[in-house]
C-alpha cells in the first residue's frame, strides 16, 4: 500500500474480512478502542506539556516533554514495547505551549516558540533528528516570540506551517500564518481565522491541506470553527465543532492524521454535561466532524490525551498518564475522487474508465450504463473492478456510465460519465479492384453487434449518383442486395466471400453494408475483366 518514505496521496487498499461475524463487521463500522499498555505509561517525571509522535527513523513512539523535578530540562524518551528509554536532553531551557510538528520528509521533530511559564517567551525554531538537536532559526526575520498556536507539517509542499498563538505584546493574540521551507520563514497570510490561541492543527495528506480547529479568541471566549489551508489561502469549512467548548485543550497534542482511513482524528472532551466528560474520538472527513467511539472507562481525570499515528501499526494511538490506547476508527465508505476516460470515443477504439478510489475494507465494484449493471463478457471487461474496458467501442456503447464502490460500511458513487462514440463503420473490399471470375471478400466492421445485416451494391446508371465529398452513393432505384443476410459477431463484424461473375468490360460499382440506420462507409471500386 505504501512505504514509510513515500506515501501515496490516494490509494486503493483492500483488507480481506471473510468469515467475520456480524458483531465484528459492526465494530468495523463504529470503531473500537483497545488497550496496548496500562499503568505508568508516561515517561518518568515528564510533564503533560509535551508531544507524542511516531519517529520513522527508530520506528517507535517518541515523547518530548518538560521534566517535573528538573525545571530547566526538556527530555526525549522512546518507548520500545514495555520499556521507556531516555534518548536526549534538549540544549535549551524547558518551555510550555510550544508549536510542534513532525517533518516526515526529513524525519525530524520541529519545535518552535513557547513560553517559560512565567514571563519569558521564545522565538527559536529547533530540530531534533532522533539524536541531535539543531537550532534552525532565531531572530527578527521570523514569526517572533509566541506560544499556544497551531502547527502542522505540509508533506506535499515540504513546509512547516504555523498559525496564530498568544504573544507577549498587545493585543495578546495573533492571526497570521507563517511557513518554514527548511531555510527561511515567510509570512504567507494575515487574514483567515480570527486571532486565537489554544488551537490545534494537522495536515490532511489525502486532501492536501492543513486542517485547523477551534481555539480561544482575543475576547477570551471559545471559537469552534474549522478552517483549511491549501498553501494559498484559508477557507472556512465549518462554523461549529464536534462539541460545545474548546476546554482549553487547543495547544495540546490531541489531533493527528490517520493515513489508513484518510481522516483527521481528534481525541477530546465530550462536553455533554457529564460530571466526568468522556474522552472521545472525532473524525474530520474533509467536510464535517463525525463523532466516533468514546474511550471505554476513560474520563476527564485520566489526564490529557496525546494522539499520534503509528506508521507500522497503521492506527491512531493515544497516550494519557495511565493508559496507552489504540483506536481503530470506523471504516469510511469508499470515496471516488474521479474517473479518467475519453468522453468522445472513436468507433472501434478501446474505451477505458480508470477510477481513482480511496477505500479500505472488502470492496465491491459495479459499473453501470444508462442505469443498468454491466456484466463481463464479449467486449466488456472489468465491470466488477476499478477499471472498466469496452473494446472495441461500438455506436451502441454511447451512453452514461457510473461506478459504485461498496465496503462493509457504505458505498460511494461516481459522477455520471457520458460517453459518445463517433465515426462510421468501415467496409473493406479485397481485392480492390475486383477481378472478373474470382472470389472477393467484403468485411464490415464495428456495426451493431449481433444484429442482421446485408451487403448492398449499386452500379452507375439511371438515378445513381456518387458524391465524393460525402463519400456516399444515392441511388433512386432500390440498392440491390448481394450475398446472404448475415448476423454480426460480438464485435459488430460481418464478412461475405462472393464470386465475381465474368464480364467483358470494366464496370464501376459501389458497395455498402446496411444494418437499418447503421451503415458502413461506401466503397467505390470496379470490376476488371
Amino acid at each position: 500500500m505504501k512505504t514509510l518514505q513515500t506515501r501515496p496521496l490516494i490509494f486503493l487498499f483492500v483488507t480481506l474480512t471473510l468469515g467475520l461475524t456480524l458483531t465484528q463487521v459492526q465494530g468495523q463500522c463504529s470503531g473500537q478502542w483497545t488497550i496496548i499498555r496500562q499503568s505508568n505509561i508516561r515517561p518518568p517525571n515528564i510533564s503533560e506539556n509535551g508531544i507524542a509522535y511516531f519517529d520513522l527513523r527508530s520506528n517507535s513512539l517518541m515523547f518530548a516533554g518538560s521534566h517535573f523535578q528538573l525545571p530547566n530540562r526538556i527530555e526525549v524518551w522512546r518507548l520500545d514495547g514495555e520499556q521507556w528509554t531516555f534518548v536526549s536532553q534538549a540544549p535549551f531551557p524547558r518551555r510550555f505551549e510550544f508549536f510542534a510538528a513532525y517533518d516526515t520528509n526529513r524525519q525530524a521533530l520541529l519545535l518552535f516558540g513557547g513560553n517559560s511559564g512565567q514571563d519569558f517567551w521564545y522565538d527559536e525554531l529547533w530540530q531534533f533528528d532522533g539524536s541531535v538537536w539543531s537550532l534552525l532559526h532565531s531572530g527578527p526575520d521570523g514569526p517572533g516570540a509566541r506560544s499556544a498556536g497551531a502547527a502542522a507539517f505540509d508533506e506535499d509542499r515540504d513546509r512547516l506551517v504555523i498559525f496564530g498563538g498568544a504573544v507577549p505584546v498587545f493585543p495578546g493574540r495573533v492571526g497570521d500564518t507563517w511557513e518554514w521551507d527548511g531555510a527561511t520563514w515567510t509570512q504567507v497570510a494575515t487574514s483567515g481565522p480570527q486571532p486565537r490561541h489554544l488551537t490545534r492543527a494537522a495536515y490532511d495528506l489525502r486532501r492536501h491541506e492543513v486542517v485547523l480547529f477551534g481555539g480561544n479568541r482575543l475576547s477570551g471566549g471559545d471559537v469552534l470553527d474549522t478552517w483549511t489551508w491549501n498553501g494559498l489561502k484559508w477557507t472556512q469549512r465549518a462554523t461549529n465543532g464536534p462539541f460545545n467548548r474548546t476546554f482549553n485543550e487547543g495547544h495540546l497534542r490531541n489531533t493527528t492524521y490517520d493515513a489508513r482511513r484518510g481522516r483527521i482524528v481528534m481525541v477530546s472532551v465530550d462536553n455533554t454535561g457529564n460530571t466526568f466528560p468522556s474522552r472521545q474520538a472525532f473524525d474530520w472527513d474533509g467536510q464535517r466532524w463525525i463523532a466516533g467511539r468514546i474511550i471505554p472507562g476513560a474520563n476527564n481525570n485520566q489526564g490529557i490525551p496525546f494522539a499520534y499515528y503509528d506508521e507500522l501499526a497503521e492506527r491512531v494511538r493515544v497516550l494519557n498518564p495511565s493508559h496507552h490506547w489504540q483506536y481503530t476508527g470506523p471504516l469510511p465508505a469508499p470515496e471516488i475522487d474521479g474517473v479518467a476516460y475519453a468522453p468522445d470515443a472513436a468507433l472501434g477504439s478501446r474505451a477505458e474508465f480508470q477510477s481513482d478510489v480511496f477505500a479500505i475494507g472488502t470492496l465491491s465494484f459495479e459499473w453501470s450504463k444508462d442505469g443498468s449493471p454491466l456484466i463481463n463478457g464479449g467486449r466488456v471487461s472489468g465491470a466488477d473492478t476499478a477499471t472498466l474496458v469496452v473494446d472495441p467501442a461500438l455506436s451502441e456503447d454511447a451512453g452514461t456510465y457510473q461506478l459504485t464502490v461498496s465496503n462493509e460500511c457504505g458505498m460511494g458513487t461516481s459522477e455520471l460519465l457520458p460517453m459518445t462514440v463517433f465515426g462510421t463503420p468501415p467496409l473493406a473490399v479485397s481485392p480492390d479492384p475486383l477481378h472478373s471470375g474470382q472470389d472477393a471478400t467484403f468485411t464490415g466492421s464495428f456495426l451493431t453487434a449481433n444484429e442482421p445485416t446485408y451487403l448492398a451494391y449499386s452500379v452507375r446508371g439511371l438515378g445513381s449518383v456518387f458524391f465524393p465529398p460525402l463519400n456516399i452513393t444515392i441511388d433512386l432505384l432500390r440498392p440491390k442486395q448481394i450475398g446472404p443476410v448475415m448476423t454480426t459477431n460480438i464485435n459488430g463484424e460481418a464478412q461475405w466471400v462472393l464470386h465475381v461473375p465474368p464480364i467483358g468490360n470494366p464496370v464501376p460499382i459501389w458497395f455498402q453494408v446496411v444494418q437499418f440506420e447503421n451503415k458502413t462507409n461506401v466503397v467505390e471500386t470496379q470490376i476488371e475483366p
Side-chain angles (χ1 to χ4, degrees):
M1 183 186 65
K2 58 183 168 55
T3 66
L4 298 182
Q5 303 298 325
T6 57
R7 303 191 206 172
L9 304 185
I10 299 173
F11 59 89
L12 188 63
F13 176 53
V14 181
T15 302
L16 293 179
T17 56
L18 298 179
L20 289 180
T21 65
L22 178 61
T23 300
Q24 289 173 315
V25 171
Q26 291 173 340
Q28 289 189 81
C29 299
S30 60
Q32 59 184 352
W33 289 96
T34 54
I35 295 178
I36 302 172
R37 184 180 179 218
Q38 190 171 355
S39 78
N40 299 322
I41 188 60
R42 198 66 62 76
N45 298 316
I46 299 300
S47 76
E48 294 180 340
N49 184 72
I51 178 172
Y53 64 99
F54 188 84
D55 181 61
L56 299 182
R57 290 179 187 264
S58 62
N59 289 332
S60 59
L61 170 66
M62 304 285 274
F63 189 93
S66 300
H67 200 286
F68 275 127
Q69 300 173 346
L70 302 173
N72 214 32
R73 291 179 62 165
I74 284 185
E75 295 180 350
V76 179
W77 290 74
R78 180 175 66 247
L79 181 62
D80 296 309
E82 297 291 318
Q83 183 67 40
W84 282 103
T85 303
F86 173 77
V87 177
S88 175
Q89 175 186 337
F92 50 83
R94 80 169 184 180
R95 53 205 59 186
F96 300 93
E97 299 180 340
F98 47 75
F99 298 71
Y102 185 69
D103 182 337
T104 53
N105 294 339
R106 297 170 184 83
Q107 300 179 13
L109 174 67
L110 296 174
L111 189 151
F112 169 75
N115 64 74
S116 66
Q118 296 178 348
D119 58 358
F120 197 86
W121 299 62
Y122 301 99
D123 67 358
E124 301 164 341
L125 175 63
W126 288 86
Q127 173 182 286
F128 179 64
D129 67 1
S131 58
V132 177
W133 287 94
S134 303
L135 178 62
L136 301 182
H137 181 274
S138 179
D141 55 340
R146 62 181 68 191
S147 66
F153 186 76
D154 184 332
E155 297 186 37
D156 297 301
R157 298 173 54 246
D158 196 22
R159 298 284 193 277
L160 170 66
V161 181
I162 70 167
F163 167 81
V167 293
V169 296
F170 182 83
R173 306 285 188 276
V174 289
D176 54 352
T177 306
W178 291 76
E179 292 185 346
W180 171 259
D181 64 3
T184 58
W185 281 109
T186 302
Q187 188 181 57
V188 292
T190 56
S191 61
Q194 66 188 101
R196 65 188 69 184
H197 78 322
L198 303 179
T199 185
R200 67 206 77 182
Y203 186 67
D204 189 332
L205 184 62
R206 164 154 161 63
R207 297 167 186 86
H208 320 293
E209 58 191 14
V210 174
V211 178
L212 180 143
F213 169 75
N216 191 270
R217 64 169 68 93
L218 186 61
S219 62
D222 290 326
V223 58
L224 302 172
D225 52 359
T226 302
W227 294 74
T228 58
W229 170 257
N230 65 0
L232 297 175
K233 66 176 183 178
W234 285 101
T235 301
Q236 189 176 46
R237 300 294 188 186
T239 57
N240 295 314
F243 35 79
N244 59 16
R245 57 180 298 220
T246 303
F247 200 72
N248 249 15
E249 288 189 283
H251 67 289
L252 306 175
R253 321 303 168 193
N254 61 344
T255 305
T256 189
Y257 175 68
D258 185 339
R260 173 177 173 267
R261 298 188 305 123
R263 299 287 190 267
I264 300 291
V265 176
M266 179 165 56
V267 181
S268 196
V269 172
D270 175 23
N271 252 306
T272 56
N274 297 324
T275 303
F276 299 104
S278 300
R279 299 292 174 180
Q280 185 173 11
F282 296 86
D283 279 0
W284 174 256
D285 69 353
Q287 299 294 328
R288 64 193 185 281
W289 289 101
I290 302 170
R293 279 296 183 93
I294 296 173
I295 303 179
N299 59 51
N300 203 33
N301 292 333
Q302 289 191 322
I304 299 165
F306 290 82
Y308 68 98
Y309 183 70
D310 189 313
E311 292 277 355
L312 295 182
E314 295 185 326
R315 295 293 189 277
V316 170
R317 291 183 168 180
V318 174
L319 284 174
N320 63 25
S322 59
H323 291 79
H324 193 185
W325 295 88
Q326 177 167 289
Y327 183 55
T328 303
L331 295 182
E335 299 175 17
I336 303 173
D337 294 319
V339 178
Y341 78 109
D344 300 307
L347 184 72
S349 67
R350 174 186 171 95
E352 187 169 302
F353 298 77
Q354 293 184 330
S355 64
D356 191 1
V357 179
F358 187 95
I360 55 178
T362 302
L363 305 183
S364 173
F365 297 84
E366 181 181 88
W367 288 92
S368 63
K369 175 180 175 290
D370 298 329
S372 299
L374 292 171
I375 300 174
N376 290 324
R379 296 176 297 104
V380 176
S381 61
D384 55 355
T385 71
T387 300
L388 172 70
V389 175
V390 180
D391 187 19
L394 307 182
S395 58
E396 65 201 75
D397 297 315
T400 300
Y401 293 77
Q402 193 169 38
L403 171 64
T404 299
V405 184
S406 306
N407 66 5
E408 297 88 338
C409 304
M411 66 174 59
T413 304
S414 73
E415 297 179 345
L416 296 177
L417 309 167
M419 185 181 76
T420 62
V421 180
F422 65 91
T424 302
L427 170 61
V429 178
S430 178
D432 183 10
L434 305 178
H435 297 290
S436 171
Q438 297 184 11
D439 286 348
T441 302
F442 304 85
T443 305
S445 301
F446 309 136
L447 293 145
T448 301
N450 302 315
E451 290 292 339
T453 182
Y454 66 90
L455 180 65
Y457 76 98
S458 177
V459 295
R460 186 179 295 276
L462 179 64
S464 179
V465 182
F466 179 65
F467 292 86
L470 301 180
N471 195 31
I472 60 173
T473 298
I474 297 179
D475 193 342
L476 298 180
L477 302 178
R478 187 175 184 84
K480 298 180 180 180
Q481 177 183 328
I482 182 174
V485 174
M486 307 288 284
T487 299
T488 53
N489 62 21
I490 191 63
N491 293 324
E493 181 182 79
Q495 187 176 87
W496 295 261
V497 178
L498 303 174
H499 187 73
V500 180
I503 60 172
N505 298 305
V507 176
I509 189 169
W510 290 262
F511 290 97
Q512 185 176 45
V513 173
V514 180
Q515 193 180 56
F516 299 101
E517 292 82 9
N518 196 20
K519 302 175 181 179
T520 66
N521 64 317
V522 176
V523 174
E524 179 184 18
T525 184
Q526 66 180 12
I527 302 175
E528 297 286 353

